[in-house]
Amino acid sequence: MLNRNFFINILRFIAVVLAQVFIFNKLNFGGIANPMIYPLFIILLPFETNNNLNLIVAFMLGLSVDLFTGSMGLHTSAAVFTAFIRPLAYRVISSNRVYESGIKPGINDLGIRWFISYTFFLVFAHHFFFFFIESFSFNEFWHTLLKIIISTLLSSLFIIILDFIFKPNKK
Amino acid sequence: MRNLISFIIKYSFLFVFLFLEIIAFSLLVSNNSYQRSAYISASNKLTSNIQNTISETTDYIGLKDVNEKLATENAFLRSQLLESNLWKADSLLQYIDTQKTQFYTYIHSQIISNSFQSRDNYLILDKGSSDGVEVEMGVISSDGIVGIVNSVSENFCSVISILHSKSAIDAKITSNEYTGTCFWPGSDYRLGELKNIPSHTKLTKGDTVVTSGNSSIFPPEIPIGFINDFKLKPGRSFYNIEIQYNTDYNKISHVYIIHNLLKGELKKIKEVRNAK
């Protein structure tokens, strides 16, 4: 499957990691929110890709972010979890067109409403997992929950904006 | 056997997921300890270099602010030079060098990676063992305290920021000289917590909090922050004090690593005390 799609995904992988590490990790909003845009890569993986391959790619993605931030395993586990929950996401937020061949997840093919709910679902799953693993306890439950909600809103917003700017296939 | 294989293939998605999560969690647990020397020396050689390049660029952008800060600091230091004192003939003897012993020296260093949003934050600096950096040296910026070196490689060192769940800094309130311990509760990178100040002390908002100098890591009177708010819960004998940090940990780029020249001697005398 060494086609155009394959290279686009590799480029996107690198771009997403670099953007996360050097731009979005430095953004903060009163110290409470921490926008994470690298789930964008998992969100935009083609539907036809083997699910097991998705998990492995997500593992590599999380590991790359971890290497830069020094939080070994934290982003990795959250990214793998996101890839695991992904099939559930497009089963719950179903659209008749998902199973047509050649359809890619994105605003172009499936419309803005579908994309927003799909992104929001996955980003929330990712952040929920991430922040609870990070605090490693339910001691600061409400504080962690607040962090999750604010960060989810911000990250989803950034991801949707980024998808608008870099539409994967201009027709 | 065939059934087992078909079972595994049928649920391969779940098994791959569990397998990868186990790897991720073992990474998380094995790297979660205080000593991150493995992380800094092995995996971070590549990423440190990339981050070094990026921070050189961002430093260039912030050069104007940094220059201004250095200039004011220079001016302050210059004012402390012997030449800027008005000498009286009879007080001359007090300035003879042999009466002083240098206690601390400072190594200038640049931050190449900095975090402030996580629960446990670390910094990476561009000085390492080849520059004389050792574990457990204090790190300050021109605005105040930053952290403590926790692992050193040849050219880099990693610092536990005071924005860390395990950081505990001996602190002192300047107005009344009471000492306590400074922690980071983890919610906001601008706010810390001062504990162990007894309830009979008088506090006012805005009192400055500095290092006490009780530990051999930081010299006394390094600024930490000032009192933002304080509460006394009924029945408690200690205050809940919220302090606002003097340093903006979002913006620091140049720091000084403190070398305590008499640390060995201090350690020795503490060992003698403990042996008894």
PDB file of all heavy atoms in Angstrom, chain B residues 53-86:
ATOM      1  N   THR B  53      18.201  23.260  19.192  1.00  0.00           N
ATOM      2  CA  THR B  53      18.092  24.116  18.013  1.00  0.00           C
ATOM      3  C   THR B  53      16.874  25.014  18.118  1.00  0.00           C
ATOM      4  O   THR B  53      16.948  26.224  17.871  1.00  0.00           O
ATOM      5  CB  THR B  53      17.943  23.244  16.744  1.00  0.00           C
ATOM      6  OG1 THR B  53      18.768  22.103  16.899  1.00  0.00           O
ATOM      7  CG2 THR B  53      18.323  24.002  15.521  1.00  0.00           C
ATOM      8  N   ILE B  54      15.732  24.411  18.500  1.00  0.00           N
ATOM      9  CA  ILE B  54      14.497  25.187  18.594  1.00  0.00           C
ATOM     10  C   ILE B  54      14.644  26.282  19.646  1.00  0.00           C
ATOM     11  O   ILE B  54      14.273  27.438  19.428  1.00  0.00           O
ATOM     12  CB  ILE B  54      13.319  24.273  18.957  1.00  0.00           C
ATOM     13  CG1 ILE B  54      13.135  23.206  17.888  1.00  0.00           C
ATOM     14  CG2 ILE B  54      12.047  25.094  19.161  1.00  0.00           C
ATOM     15  CD1 ILE B  54      12.356  23.611  16.696  1.00  0.00           C
ATOM     16  N   SER B  55      15.248  25.932  20.789  1.00  0.00           N
ATOM     17  CA  SER B  55      15.321  26.931  21.855  1.00  0.00           C
ATOM     18  C   SER B  55      16.300  28.041  21.497  1.00  0.00           C
ATOM     19  O   SER B  55      16.146  29.172  21.941  1.00  0.00           O
ATOM     20  CB  SER B  55      15.700  26.279  23.177  1.00  0.00           C
ATOM     21  OG  SER B  55      17.079  26.158  23.317  1.00  0.00           O
ATOM     22  N   GLU B  56      17.306  27.710  20.658  1.00  0.00           N
ATOM     23  CA  GLU B  56      18.193  28.776  20.194  1.00  0.00           C
ATOM     24  C   GLU B  56      17.402  29.807  19.399  1.00  0.00           C
ATOM     25  O   GLU B  56      17.607  31.004  19.520  1.00  0.00           O
ATOM     26  CB  GLU B  56      19.325  28.194  19.331  1.00  0.00           C
ATOM     27  CG  GLU B  56      20.537  27.824  20.155  1.00  0.00           C
ATOM     28  CD  GLU B  56      21.526  26.984  19.385  1.00  0.00           C
ATOM     29  OE1 GLU B  56      21.490  26.993  18.139  1.00  0.00           O
ATOM     30  OE2 GLU B  56      22.336  26.307  20.036  1.00  0.00           O
ATOM     31  N   THR B  57      16.479  29.314  18.579  1.00  0.00           N
ATOM     32  CA  THR B  57      15.654  30.223  17.782  1.00  0.00           C
ATOM     33  C   THR B  57      14.737  31.049  18.677  1.00  0.00           C
ATOM     34  O   THR B  57      14.663  32.267  18.539  1.00  0.00           O
ATOM     35  CB  THR B  57      14.779  29.417  16.802  1.00  0.00           C
ATOM     36  OG1 THR B  57      15.535  28.304  16.362  1.00  0.00           O
ATOM     37  CG2 THR B  57      14.362  30.260  15.644  1.00  0.00           C
ATOM     38  N   THR B  58      14.042  30.368  19.595  1.00  0.00           N
ATOM     39  CA  THR B  58      13.094  31.111  20.427  1.00  0.00           C
ATOM     40  C   THR B  58      13.842  32.085  21.335  1.00  0.00           C
ATOM     41  O   THR B  58      13.347  33.159  21.623  1.00  0.00           O
ATOM     42  CB  THR B  58      12.240  30.165  21.268  1.00  0.00           C
ATOM     43  OG1 THR B  58      13.081  29.232  21.916  1.00  0.00           O
ATOM     44  CG2 THR B  58      11.214  29.458  20.440  1.00  0.00           C
ATOM     45  N   ASP B  59      15.063  31.703  21.754  1.00  0.00           N
ATOM     46  CA  ASP B  59      15.854  32.611  22.573  1.00  0.00           C
ATOM     47  C   ASP B  59      16.177  33.880  21.805  1.00  0.00           C
ATOM     48  O   ASP B  59      16.206  34.971  22.362  1.00  0.00           O
ATOM     49  CB  ASP B  59      17.168  31.951  22.985  1.00  0.00           C
ATOM     50  CG  ASP B  59      16.988  31.172  24.255  1.00  0.00           C
ATOM     51  OD1 ASP B  59      15.877  31.249  24.807  1.00  0.00           O
ATOM     52  OD2 ASP B  59      17.921  30.504  24.681  1.00  0.00           O
ATOM     53  N   TYR B  60      16.449  33.707  20.521  1.00  0.00           N
ATOM     54  CA  TYR B  60      16.787  34.875  19.716  1.00  0.00           C
ATOM     55  C   TYR B  60      15.618  35.848  19.692  1.00  0.00           C
ATOM     56  O   TYR B  60      15.799  37.061  19.786  1.00  0.00           O
ATOM     57  CB  TYR B  60      17.145  34.433  18.296  1.00  0.00           C
ATOM     58  CG  TYR B  60      17.592  35.572  17.442  1.00  0.00           C
ATOM     59  CD1 TYR B  60      18.862  36.109  17.614  1.00  0.00           C
ATOM     60  CD2 TYR B  60      16.755  36.138  16.501  1.00  0.00           C
ATOM     61  CE1 TYR B  60      19.286  37.174  16.859  1.00  0.00           C
ATOM     62  CE2 TYR B  60      17.164  37.202  15.738  1.00  0.00           C
ATOM     63  CZ  TYR B  60      18.435  37.720  15.914  1.00  0.00           C
ATOM     64  OH  TYR B  60      18.847  38.783  15.170  1.00  0.00           O
ATOM     65  N   ILE B  61      14.409  35.275  19.605  1.00  0.00           N
ATOM     66  CA  ILE B  61      13.224  36.134  19.569  1.00  0.00           C
ATOM     67  C   ILE B  61      13.073  36.890  20.885  1.00  0.00           C
ATOM     68  O   ILE B  61      12.720  38.057  20.913  1.00  0.00           O
ATOM     69  CB  ILE B  61      11.970  35.288  19.268  1.00  0.00           C
ATOM     70  CG1 ILE B  61      12.113  34.660  17.893  1.00  0.00           C
ATOM     71  CG2 ILE B  61      10.704  36.122  19.337  1.00  0.00           C
ATOM     72  CD1 ILE B  61      11.138  33.564  17.614  1.00  0.00           C
ATOM     73  N   GLY B  62      13.375  36.220  21.991  1.00  0.00           N
ATOM     74  CA  GLY B  62      13.202  36.862  23.294  1.00  0.00           C
ATOM     75  C   GLY B  62      14.420  37.627  23.776  1.00  0.00           C
ATOM     76  O   GLY B  62      14.529  37.968  24.946  1.00  0.00           O
ATOM     77  N   LEU B  63      15.356  37.886  22.837  1.00  0.00           N
ATOM     78  CA  LEU B  63      16.645  38.448  23.227  1.00  0.00           C
ATOM     79  C   LEU B  63      16.537  39.813  23.899  1.00  0.00           C
ATOM     80  O   LEU B  63      17.271  40.118  24.833  1.00  0.00           O
ATOM     81  CB  LEU B  63      17.513  38.559  21.977  1.00  0.00           C
ATOM     82  CG  LEU B  63      19.014  38.347  22.144  1.00  0.00           C
ATOM     83  CD1 LEU B  63      19.271  37.050  22.860  1.00  0.00           C
ATOM     84  CD2 LEU B  63      19.681  38.311  20.789  1.00  0.00           C
ATOM     85  N   LYS B  64      15.589  40.590  23.440  1.00  0.00           N
ATOM     86  CA  LYS B  64      15.488  41.946  23.950  1.00  0.00           C
ATOM     87  C   LYS B  64      15.156  41.950  25.448  1.00  0.00           C
ATOM     88  O   LYS B  64      15.819  42.617  26.242  1.00  0.00           O
ATOM     89  CB  LYS B  64      14.411  42.695  23.172  1.00  0.00           C
ATOM     90  CG  LYS B  64      14.598  44.190  23.235  1.00  0.00           C
ATOM     91  CD  LYS B  64      13.484  44.909  22.522  1.00  0.00           C
ATOM     92  CE  LYS B  64      13.409  46.323  23.043  1.00  0.00           C
ATOM     93  NZ  LYS B  64      12.082  46.871  22.895  1.00  0.00           N
ATOM     94  N   ASP B  65      14.138  41.136  25.806  1.00  0.00           N
ATOM     95  CA  ASP B  65      13.741  41.050  27.213  1.00  0.00           C
ATOM     96  C   ASP B  65      14.890  40.552  28.074  1.00  0.00           C
ATOM     97  O   ASP B  65      15.165  41.078  29.151  1.00  0.00           O
ATOM     98  CB  ASP B  65      12.557  40.087  27.362  1.00  0.00           C
ATOM     99  CG  ASP B  65      11.287  40.704  26.837  1.00  0.00           C
ATOM    100  OD1 ASP B  65      11.301  41.934  26.666  1.00  0.00           O
ATOM    101  OD2 ASP B  65      10.323  39.964  26.617  1.00  0.00           O
ATOM    102  N   VAL B  66      15.558  39.515  27.558  1.00  0.00           N
ATOM    103  CA  VAL B  66      16.638  38.910  28.334  1.00  0.00           C
ATOM    104  C   VAL B  66      17.752  39.909  28.550  1.00  0.00           C
ATOM    105  O   VAL B  66      18.305  40.037  29.646  1.00  0.00           O
ATOM    106  CB  VAL B  66      17.151  37.643  27.606  1.00  0.00           C
ATOM    107  CG1 VAL B  66      18.344  37.069  28.330  1.00  0.00           C
ATOM    108  CG2 VAL B  66      16.044  36.618  27.530  1.00  0.00           C
ATOM    109  N   ASN B  67      18.083  40.651  27.479  1.00  0.00           N
ATOM    110  CA  ASN B  67      19.137  41.650  27.587  1.00  0.00           C
ATOM    111  C   ASN B  67      18.826  42.676  28.660  1.00  0.00           C
ATOM    112  O   ASN B  67      19.686  43.046  29.458  1.00  0.00           O
ATOM    113  CB  ASN B  67      19.295  42.388  26.250  1.00  0.00           C
ATOM    114  CG  ASN B  67      20.272  41.666  25.357  1.00  0.00           C
ATOM    115  OD1 ASN B  67      21.021  40.823  25.844  1.00  0.00           O
ATOM    116  ND2 ASN B  67      20.258  41.979  24.093  1.00  0.00           N
ATOM    117  N   GLU B  68      17.576  43.118  28.653  1.00  0.00           N
ATOM    118  CA  GLU B  68      17.175  44.111  29.636  1.00  0.00           C
ATOM    119  C   GLU B  68      17.353  43.577  31.049  1.00  0.00           C
ATOM    120  O   GLU B  68      17.882  44.246  31.933  1.00  0.00           O
ATOM    121  CB  GLU B  68      15.710  44.473  29.426  1.00  0.00           C
ATOM    122  CG  GLU B  68      15.510  45.872  28.923  1.00  0.00           C
ATOM    123  CD  GLU B  68      14.117  46.039  28.353  1.00  0.00           C
ATOM    124  OE1 GLU B  68      13.159  45.700  29.054  1.00  0.00           O
ATOM    125  OE2 GLU B  68      14.018  46.495  27.201  1.00  0.00           O
ATOM    126  N   LYS B  69      16.933  42.341  31.216  1.00  0.00           N
ATOM    127  CA  LYS B  69      17.015  41.728  32.532  1.00  0.00           C
ATOM    128  C   LYS B  69      18.466  41.599  32.974  1.00  0.00           C
ATOM    129  O   LYS B  69      18.823  41.879  34.112  1.00  0.00           O
ATOM    130  CB  LYS B  69      16.377  40.352  32.463  1.00  0.00           C
ATOM    131  CG  LYS B  69      15.584  40.035  33.678  1.00  0.00           C
ATOM    132  CD  LYS B  69      14.890  38.740  33.456  1.00  0.00           C
ATOM    133  CE  LYS B  69      13.532  38.773  34.093  1.00  0.00           C
ATOM    134  NZ  LYS B  69      12.805  37.560  33.797  1.00  0.00           N
ATOM    135  N   LEU B  70      19.317  41.173  32.022  1.00  0.00           N
ATOM    136  CA  LEU B  70      20.734  41.015  32.353  1.00  0.00           C
ATOM    137  C   LEU B  70      21.361  42.358  32.675  1.00  0.00           C
ATOM    138  O   LEU B  70      22.190  42.459  33.579  1.00  0.00           O
ATOM    139  CB  LEU B  70      21.472  40.353  31.192  1.00  0.00           C
ATOM    140  CG  LEU B  70      21.163  38.876  30.981  1.00  0.00           C
ATOM    141  CD1 LEU B  70      21.913  38.346  29.773  1.00  0.00           C
ATOM    142  CD2 LEU B  70      21.534  38.064  32.210  1.00  0.00           C
ATOM    143  N   ALA B  71      20.933  43.371  31.954  1.00  0.00           N
ATOM    144  CA  ALA B  71      21.502  44.692  32.205  1.00  0.00           C
ATOM    145  C   ALA B  71      21.152  45.184  33.603  1.00  0.00           C
ATOM    146  O   ALA B  71      22.015  45.699  34.322  1.00  0.00           O
ATOM    147  CB  ALA B  71      20.991  45.683  31.159  1.00  0.00           C
ATOM    148  N   THR B  72      19.888  44.974  34.006  1.00  0.00           N
ATOM    149  CA  THR B  72      19.516  45.435  35.354  1.00  0.00           C
ATOM    150  C   THR B  72      20.258  44.616  36.404  1.00  0.00           C
ATOM    151  O   THR B  72      20.693  45.138  37.417  1.00  0.00           O
ATOM    152  CB  THR B  72      18.006  45.298  35.599  1.00  0.00           C
ATOM    153  OG1 THR B  72      17.586  44.049  35.105  1.00  0.00           O
ATOM    154  CG2 THR B  72      17.229  46.402  34.953  1.00  0.00           C
ATOM    155  N   GLU B  73      20.419  43.316  36.110  1.00  0.00           N
ATOM    156  CA  GLU B  73      21.125  42.490  37.079  1.00  0.00           C
ATOM    157  C   GLU B  73      22.588  42.907  37.181  1.00  0.00           C
ATOM    158  O   GLU B  73      23.158  42.979  38.267  1.00  0.00           O
ATOM    159  CB  GLU B  73      21.013  41.029  36.676  1.00  0.00           C
ATOM    160  CG  GLU B  73      21.222  40.120  37.852  1.00  0.00           C
ATOM    161  CD  GLU B  73      21.052  38.667  37.474  1.00  0.00           C
ATOM    162  OE1 GLU B  73      20.699  38.386  36.324  1.00  0.00           O
ATOM    163  OE2 GLU B  73      21.289  37.829  38.344  1.00  0.00           O
ATOM    164  N   ASN B  74      23.169  43.211  36.013  1.00  0.00           N
ATOM    165  CA  ASN B  74      24.547  43.680  36.011  1.00  0.00           C
ATOM    166  C   ASN B  74      24.697  44.938  36.841  1.00  0.00           C
ATOM    167  O   ASN B  74      25.643  45.089  37.611  1.00  0.00           O
ATOM    168  CB  ASN B  74      24.984  44.010  34.580  1.00  0.00           C
ATOM    169  CG  ASN B  74      25.606  42.811  33.929  1.00  0.00           C
ATOM    170  OD1 ASN B  74      25.988  41.867  34.621  1.00  0.00           O
ATOM    171  ND2 ASN B  74      25.699  42.835  32.625  1.00  0.00           N
ATOM    172  N   ALA B  75      23.737  45.837  36.651  1.00  0.00           N
ATOM    173  CA  ALA B  75      23.795  47.103  37.376  1.00  0.00           C
ATOM    174  C   ALA B  75      23.739  46.855  38.871  1.00  0.00           C
ATOM    175  O   ALA B  75      24.485  47.460  39.641  1.00  0.00           O
ATOM    176  CB  ALA B  75      22.634  47.991  36.942  1.00  0.00           C
ATOM    177  N   PHE B  76      22.873  45.919  39.246  1.00  0.00           N
ATOM    178  CA  PHE B  76      22.740  45.605  40.660  1.00  0.00           C
ATOM    179  C   PHE B  76      24.040  45.021  41.203  1.00  0.00           C
ATOM    180  O   PHE B  76      24.524  45.403  42.275  1.00  0.00           O
ATOM    181  CB  PHE B  76      21.594  44.610  40.844  1.00  0.00           C
ATOM    182  CG  PHE B  76      21.472  44.074  42.220  1.00  0.00           C
ATOM    183  CD1 PHE B  76      21.069  44.896  43.265  1.00  0.00           C
ATOM    184  CD2 PHE B  76      21.772  42.752  42.496  1.00  0.00           C
ATOM    185  CE1 PHE B  76      20.954  44.407  44.539  1.00  0.00           C
ATOM    186  CE2 PHE B  76      21.671  42.260  43.768  1.00  0.00           C
ATOM    187  CZ  PHE B  76      21.261  43.092  44.797  1.00  0.00           C
ATOM    188  N   LEU B  77      24.628  44.113  40.438  1.00  0.00           N
ATOM    189  CA  LEU B  77      25.861  43.478  40.904  1.00  0.00           C
ATOM    190  C   LEU B  77      27.007  44.480  40.965  1.00  0.00           C
ATOM    191  O   LEU B  77      27.821  44.467  41.876  1.00  0.00           O
ATOM    192  CB  LEU B  77      26.226  42.315  39.974  1.00  0.00           C
ATOM    193  CG  LEU B  77      25.253  41.145  40.034  1.00  0.00           C
ATOM    194  CD1 LEU B  77      25.633  40.084  39.020  1.00  0.00           C
ATOM    195  CD2 LEU B  77      25.240  40.532  41.427  1.00  0.00           C
ATOM    196  N   ARG B  78      27.029  45.353  39.967  1.00  0.00           N
ATOM    197  CA  ARG B  78      28.075  46.371  39.944  1.00  0.00           C
ATOM    198  C   ARG B  78      28.005  47.242  41.193  1.00  0.00           C
ATOM    199  O   ARG B  78      29.027  47.630  41.752  1.00  0.00           O
ATOM    200  CB  ARG B  78      27.905  47.231  38.689  1.00  0.00           C
ATOM    201  CG  ARG B  78      29.073  48.087  38.353  1.00  0.00           C
ATOM    202  CD  ARG B  78      28.886  48.725  37.010  1.00  0.00           C
ATOM    203  NE  ARG B  78      29.091  47.784  35.918  1.00  0.00           N
ATOM    204  CZ  ARG B  78      30.268  47.632  35.303  1.00  0.00           C
ATOM    205  NH1 ARG B  78      31.285  48.380  35.654  1.00  0.00           N
ATOM    206  NH2 ARG B  78      30.418  46.777  34.325  1.00  0.00           N
ATOM    207  N   SER B  79      26.769  47.500  41.620  1.00  0.00           N
ATOM    208  CA  SER B  79      26.627  48.356  42.791  1.00  0.00           C
ATOM    209  C   SER B  79      27.150  47.665  44.046  1.00  0.00           C
ATOM    210  O   SER B  79      27.395  48.304  45.056  1.00  0.00           O
ATOM    211  CB  SER B  79      25.165  48.732  42.974  1.00  0.00           C
ATOM    212  OG  SER B  79      24.430  47.584  43.292  1.00  0.00           O
ATOM    213  N   GLN B  80      27.312  46.368  43.967  1.00  0.00           N
ATOM    214  CA  GLN B  80      27.824  45.674  45.142  1.00  0.00           C
ATOM    215  C   GLN B  80      29.342  45.540  45.133  1.00  0.00           C
ATOM    216  O   GLN B  80      29.931  45.028  46.072  1.00  0.00           O
ATOM    217  CB  GLN B  80      27.211  44.277  45.207  1.00  0.00           C
ATOM    218  CG  GLN B  80      25.740  44.326  45.555  1.00  0.00           C
ATOM    219  CD  GLN B  80      25.216  42.950  45.811  1.00  0.00           C
ATOM    220  OE1 GLN B  80      25.583  42.012  45.130  1.00  0.00           O
ATOM    221  NE2 GLN B  80      24.354  42.815  46.799  1.00  0.00           N
ATOM    222  N   LEU B  81      29.960  45.946  44.027  1.00  0.00           N
ATOM    223  CA  LEU B  81      31.412  45.840  43.950  1.00  0.00           C
ATOM    224  C   LEU B  81      32.072  46.750  44.993  1.00  0.00           C
ATOM    225  O   LEU B  81      31.512  47.755  45.394  1.00  0.00           O
ATOM    226  CB  LEU B  81      31.895  46.267  42.559  1.00  0.00           C
ATOM    227  CG  LEU B  81      31.679  45.269  41.434  1.00  0.00           C
ATOM    228  CD1 LEU B  81      32.177  45.867  40.130  1.00  0.00           C
ATOM    229  CD2 LEU B  81      32.424  43.987  41.719  1.00  0.00           C
ATOM    230  N   LEU B  82      33.291  46.392  45.367  1.00  0.00           N
ATOM    231  CA  LEU B  82      34.008  47.181  46.366  1.00  0.00           C
ATOM    232  C   LEU B  82      34.213  48.610  45.890  1.00  0.00           C
ATOM    233  O   LEU B  82      34.121  49.563  46.646  1.00  0.00           O
ATOM    234  CB  LEU B  82      35.378  46.554  46.633  1.00  0.00           C
ATOM    235  CG  LEU B  82      35.346  45.185  47.283  1.00  0.00           C
ATOM    236  CD1 LEU B  82      36.758  44.699  47.542  1.00  0.00           C
ATOM    237  CD2 LEU B  82      34.561  45.233  48.579  1.00  0.00           C
ATOM    238  N   GLU B  83      34.446  48.730  44.568  1.00  0.00           N
ATOM    239  CA  GLU B  83      34.753  50.051  44.032  1.00  0.00           C
ATOM    240  C   GLU B  83      33.577  51.002  44.163  1.00  0.00           C
ATOM    241  O   GLU B  83      33.747  52.210  44.178  1.00  0.00           O
ATOM    242  CB  GLU B  83      35.151  49.961  42.554  1.00  0.00           C
ATOM    243  CG  GLU B  83      36.541  49.422  42.316  1.00  0.00           C
ATOM    244  CD  GLU B  83      36.594  47.902  42.411  1.00  0.00           C
ATOM    245  OE1 GLU B  83      35.542  47.295  42.687  1.00  0.00           O
ATOM    246  OE2 GLU B  83      37.676  47.348  42.217  1.00  0.00           O
ATOM    247  N   SER B  84      32.381  50.475  44.220  1.00  0.00           N
ATOM    248  CA  SER B  84      31.246  51.386  44.282  1.00  0.00           C
ATOM    249  C   SER B  84      30.884  51.756  45.711  1.00  0.00           C
ATOM    250  O   SER B  84      29.898  52.419  45.950  1.00  0.00           O
ATOM    251  CB  SER B  84      30.040  50.799  43.554  1.00  0.00           C
ATOM    252  OG  SER B  84      29.894  49.465  43.886  1.00  0.00           O
ATOM    253  N   ASN B  85      31.665  51.298  46.668  1.00  0.00           N
ATOM    254  CA  ASN B  85      31.430  51.730  48.042  1.00  0.00           C
ATOM    255  C   ASN B  85      32.278  52.956  48.355  1.00  0.00           C
ATOM    256  O   ASN B  85      33.376  53.118  47.821  1.00  0.00           O
ATOM    257  CB  ASN B  85      31.792  50.622  49.024  1.00  0.00           C
ATOM    258  CG  ASN B  85      30.801  49.489  48.928  1.00  0.00           C
ATOM    259  OD1 ASN B  85      29.630  49.712  48.665  1.00  0.00           O
ATOM    260  ND2 ASN B  85      31.292  48.280  49.120  1.00  0.00           N
ATOM    261  N   LEU B  86      31.746  53.753  49.222  1.00  0.00           N
ATOM    262  CA  LEU B  86      32.536  54.890  49.690  1.00  0.00           C
ATOM    263  C   LEU B  86      33.394  54.391  50.842  1.00  0.00           C
ATOM    264  O   LEU B  86      32.881  53.917  51.852  1.00  0.00           O
ATOM    265  CB  LEU B  86      31.573  55.996  50.147  1.00  0.00           C
ATOM    266  CG  LEU B  86      32.188  57.337  50.447  1.00  0.00           C
ATOM    267  CD1 LEU B  86      32.800  57.922  49.177  1.00  0.00           C
ATOM    268  CD2 LEU B  86      31.131  58.266  51.000  1.00  0.00           C
TER     269      LEU B  86
END
